[in-house]
Amino acid sequence: MWLAPLLLGAFLLCGPVRGSDGSAFTAITCFTRGLDLRKGTEDVLCPANCPLWQFYVFGDGVYASLSSVCGAAIHSGVITNAGGAVRVQTLPGQENYPAVNANGIQSQVLARWASSFSVTPGTKNTALEAVGRSVSTARPSTGKRPKKPLDKKAGNKDCKADIAFLIDGSYNIGQRRFNLQKNFVGKVAVMLGIGTEGPHVGVVQASEHPKIEFYLKNFTAAKEVLFAIKELGFRGGNSNTGKALKHTAQKFFSLENGARKGIPKIIVVFLDGWPSDDIEEAGIVAREFGVNVFIVSVAKPTTEELGMVQDIGFVDKAVCRNNGFFSYQMPTWFGTTKYVKPLVQKLCSHEQMLCSKTCYNSVNIGFLIDGSSSVGDSNFRLVLEFVSTVARAFEISDIGSKIAAVQFTYDQRTEFSFTDYITKEKVLSAIRNIRYMSGGTATGDAISFITRNVFGPMKDGPNKNFLVVLTDGQSYDDVRGPAAAAQKAGITIFSVGVAWAPLDDLKDMASEPRESHTFFTREFTGLEQMVPDIIRGICKDFLDSKQ
C-alpha cells in the first residue's frame, strides 16, 4: 500500500490538472524542456523545490527551446521555487541567446538555436497543492546534498584543439547505427572538456553530398554540443568520405568559422565499413592545410567484402602520419563506452599533432639586440621595427610560437622571456617598450647569457629554437666559442650585421650553411628588406629538421 501515494503523485505530476478557474494545466517536471512541449501555447504546472543549480537555461526573456521550462520561469521571475502555473509560448529560433544571472539562476550563452519560447504567468490556481510538493523532480533523492558543479565554461585548457567530427551518414551505416554513432560522438565531446579556452568542436556529415552541421564557433560548451548532436538528422546516400574529408579540410577551419591561430586542427573521420570513393587525395589535401586526420573505423570489411574496397590500404593513406597513432579501430557501434577515453587521450596529445606543426606555430625565436653607443636612439628604433616585423609573421600563443628579447652592451638585460607574453599583441607591445641602453659591445657574453638564461628553460620543449643576433660593430670578446655552444644546444643562429659589423664575426656566429644564415646591410634602413629572407630561412630550417 505504500506505493499508492507515490503512484498517485507521479500520475498527478504528469497528467492534466485543473485550476480553480477550471483551466487545464499540464504538470511537468523540473527538467521538462521547451522542445518537449508540442503545442504552440501551453499551460504547464511547475513543481516546487526544483534544484536551481541543475537547471539548463539559455537566454533571457526569450529562451532557446532546449532550456528547462521551469528554470526559465524562475529565471524570468514568472514563478518562484515554490512552483506554479506558467504559460509557454513557442517562438522562432534566433541567434545570440545571452547569459544573464537572475533569481538564483545563471543562464548560459548559446550562439543560435532552431526554436525558442517565452514564459508568462499562468492563471492563478490551487492545483499545485493537489500535486503535492514532495514530488518536485523526476530524479529520486539520494539522501545526499548535491554539490554545485565547478564552472566549466573555460573548458580543459590542457586539451586545446579545433576538432571536426566527420560522421558517417550513408545508407551503409543505417539509421540505427547512425544514432549509436551520435551517442558515441557525444560522449567523446563531453570527455574532451569543451570550453572557451579548451577544445572546440564541430560536426560534418558525410553522405551523398557533405554537409557542415555546425562550426567551431557555434557552440563552446559540452551541453550545447550534445543538444546539437542529438538533433542531427540521418541523410543517407553513398558515404563519399573522400569528398567530405576534402571539403572539411578546405572549408571548415577558416578564422571566420571559429578556427583559432596556433591551435591544432583535427578531423576525426568515423567510417562504418569502407569509403565509397578515394580518400587518399583528400588526405593529401588535409596535410597541405595543416590538418591532422584521424580515421576511426568501425566494423572492418569482411573477407567477402574486401573485393568491394577500392584500396585496402586507404586508412594509412588518409591519416596524418602512417605511424599507428592516427588510426583507431572499434569492432562495433555497440558497447563503445570503453573506447571513449583512449580516443580522447589521443585527441588531447598536442605534441603528437605533427600535421599542425609549421614553422609559423612551432618555433621559439630569441632576438639578441645590440644596444651599444654606436647604434644611436633613432637607429635603435629601426632595429625594434625589424624585430616586430619578423615576430608579426608567426602565430604566437601559449602552445604556438614564442618570442624573447635580450638587449646587450657590456652587460645583458632580458627584456622579456619566452613565457612572459603568450599573445602577439603583448609581444609587439613589449618590443615597442624596450628602452635603449647605450654602452660597449660584448656579443660573445650576450650569446652565452641568452643560451643559458632564455633558451635554457626551453631546451626540452617541443618548439625548434632560433636566435637572431643583431649587431652594428666589432665585438670586444670572442663570439665563436659561445656561438658553437649555442648551436650544440640545438639553437640555430642567424647573424644580422649593420654598418661596422665585421663579416668574419657574423660568419663565426652563424649556423651552417653560413652563407644562408649571415646577413649584412650598410644602413639601418636596409633591415626591413631582410625580413622576408629571415622568415624564409627559419621556415626552411624548420622543414629540414622534420625530414
Side-chain angles (χ1 to χ4, degrees):
M1 294 298 293
W2 64 272
L3 283 172
L6 180 60
L7 290 172
L8 176 62
F11 172 77
L12 291 171
L13 184 67
C14 299
V17 181
R18 294 200 174 273
S20 56
D21 62 351
S23 57
F25 291 84
T26 300
I28 62 175
T29 74
C30 301
F31 307 101
T32 299
R33 303 168 299 174
L35 55 81
D36 297 324
L37 305 179
R38 298 299 177 215
K39 299 177 183 177
T41 301
E42 192 158 352
D43 291 315
V44 300
L45 194 61
C46 287
N49 302 320
C50 289
L52 300 185
W53 61 272
Q54 287 189 358
F55 279 133
Y56 284 148
V57 177
F58 303 88
D60 180 40
V62 175
Y63 300 94
S65 61
L66 52 84
S67 304
S68 159
V69 171
C70 298
I74 296 173
H75 182 267
S76 64
V78 168
I79 61 172
T80 67
N81 202 30
V86 178
R87 173 158 289 184
V88 183
Q89 177 70 49
T90 300
L91 300 171
Q94 65 176 39
E95 296 186 355
N96 300 322
Y97 295 89
V100 176
N101 194 317
N103 300 312
I105 296 177
Q106 173 65 61
S107 70
Q108 305 296 315
V109 172
L110 190 59
R112 64 178 178 180
W113 199 250
S115 58
S116 313
F117 67 86
S118 64
V119 287
T120 54
T123 307
K124 290 184 179 180
N125 62 86
T126 58
L128 188 62
E129 298 298 331
V131 173
R133 294 175 184 267
S134 61
V135 187
S136 60
T137 173
R139 302 183 185 183
S141 172
T142 61
K144 297 180 180 179
R145 184 185 178 91
K147 294 181 179 180
K148 187 172 182 178
L150 296 174
D151 179 17
K152 297 182 179 179
K153 187 175 181 181
N156 181 6
K157 297 180 182 179
D158 295 326
C159 182
K160 289 190 175 182
D162 287 341
I163 303 172
F165 292 117
L166 181 54
I167 62 174
D168 190 342
S170 67
Y171 287 136
N172 191 50
I173 192 171
Q175 180 72 63
R176 185 187 183 196
R177 297 202 304 275
F178 179 78
N179 290 336
L180 292 171
Q181 177 185 216
K182 290 199 301 181
N183 184 51
F184 178 75
V185 172
K187 290 177 181 178
V188 172
V190 170
M191 185 167 282
L192 279 169
I194 296 166
T196 53
E197 299 179 45
H200 292 181
V201 306
V203 171
V204 181
Q205 186 172 170
S207 56
E208 198 68 36
H209 302 287
K211 180 186 178 185
I212 297 177
E213 302 286 0
F214 58 89
Y215 288 102
L216 298 163
K217 67 180 181 181
N218 294 138
F219 309 112
T220 55
K223 52 182 172 287
E224 299 172 6
V225 172
L226 271 178
F227 286 124
I229 291 172
K230 181 181 178 183
E231 296 295 313
L232 296 179
F234 176 58
R235 293 176 61 81
N238 290 324
S239 61
N240 289 337
T241 307
K243 182 179 180 181
L245 176 57
K246 186 176 180 180
H247 179 78
T248 305
Q250 293 174 325
K251 305 294 185 183
F252 184 85
F253 293 100
S254 68
L255 296 177
E256 294 77 15
N257 293 327
R260 296 167 291 177
K261 288 187 175 181
I263 303 295
K265 298 187 285 288
I266 301 171
I267 300 176
V268 184
V269 181
F270 291 93
L271 194 58
D272 187 283
W274 63 92
S276 57
D277 62 347
D278 176 43
I279 66 173
E280 181 179 4
E281 180 190 354
I284 294 171
V285 170
R287 289 191 287 277
E288 289 175 349
F289 277 81
V291 177
N292 301 274
V293 175
F294 278 78
I295 300 288
V296 178
S297 53
V298 185
K300 279 185 175 181
T302 63
T303 304
E304 295 76 19
E305 294 170 330
L306 284 176
M308 303 171 63
V309 182
Q310 291 187 23
D311 186 351
I312 297 175
F314 67 86
V315 171
D316 288 341
K317 294 179 180 178
V319 294
C320 169
R321 288 287 191 278
N322 179 13
N323 59 5
F325 179 81
F326 293 92
S327 54
Y328 197 69
Q329 171 67 33
M330 296 193 300
T332 174
W333 286 113
F334 297 93
T336 57
T337 300
K338 63 183 178 181
Y339 297 102
V340 173
K341 186 175 181 180
L343 178 58
V344 167
Q345 289 174 334
K346 282 185 177 238
L347 299 180
C348 291
S349 300
H350 175 259
E351 302 311 324
Q352 299 281 354
M353 300 302 160
L354 305 176
C355 288
S356 286
K357 295 191 174 298
T358 69
C359 65
Y360 296 105
N361 64 23
S362 301
V363 296
N364 300 324
I365 306 174
F367 291 93
L368 198 53
I369 304 169
D370 188 344
S372 62
S373 302
S374 57
V375 174
D377 191 67
S378 60
N379 287 333
F380 189 75
R381 292 294 112 194
L382 292 175
V383 171
L384 295 186
E385 185 59 36
F386 166 84
V387 173
S388 294
T389 308
V390 174
R392 196 176 285 114
F394 294 86
E395 298 176 14
I396 301 166
S397 71
D398 57 340
I399 62 171
S401 291
K402 296 175 176 62
I403 305 293
V406 170
Q407 185 179 175
F408 71 96
T409 56
Y410 283 134
D411 298 316
Q412 306 86 31
R413 184 173 74 195
T414 302
E415 303 294 352
F416 57 92
S417 294
F418 289 120
T419 55
D420 287 344
Y421 304 110
I422 58 173
T423 67
K424 185 179 298 185
E425 292 73 20
K426 290 184 177 180
V427 165
L428 296 178
S429 175
I431 294 170
R432 285 193 299 270
N433 291 328
I434 293 176
R435 296 293 171 257
Y436 177 43
M437 289 172 64
S438 186
T441 308
T443 313
D445 281 350
I447 294 173
S448 297
F449 176 87
I450 198 170
T451 300
R452 181 175 62 254
N453 297 295
V454 178
F455 284 100
M458 313 299 289
K459 65 180 180 179
D460 295 323
N463 289 2
K464 182 167 175 56
N465 292 318
F466 292 89
L467 172 61
V468 179
V469 181
L470 297 112
T471 181
D472 82 325
Q474 175 79 50
S475 177
Y476 288 98
D477 60 359
D478 172 60
V479 297
R480 184 178 299 178
Q487 293 167 33
K488 188 176 180 181
I491 303 169
T492 300
I493 300 179
F494 288 85
S495 60
V496 179
V498 188
W500 306 108
L503 191 58
D504 287 345
D505 275 8
L506 297 177
K507 287 185 175 180
D508 284 344
M509 291 186 288
S511 293
E512 295 285 353
R514 291 179 177 176
E515 289 71 22
S516 61
H517 291 80
T518 303
F519 295 84
F520 178 80
T521 177
R522 184 62 65 186
E523 304 292 338
F524 281 89
T525 52
L527 286 172
E528 182 181 359
Q529 300 171 12
M530 296 180 181
V531 170
D533 292 329
I534 296 288
I535 295 170
R536 275 195 293 269
I538 290 172
C539 285
K540 183 179 185 305
D541 286 347
F542 177 86
L543 291 173
D544 289 346
S545 72
K546 299 300 177 183
Q547 298 301 321

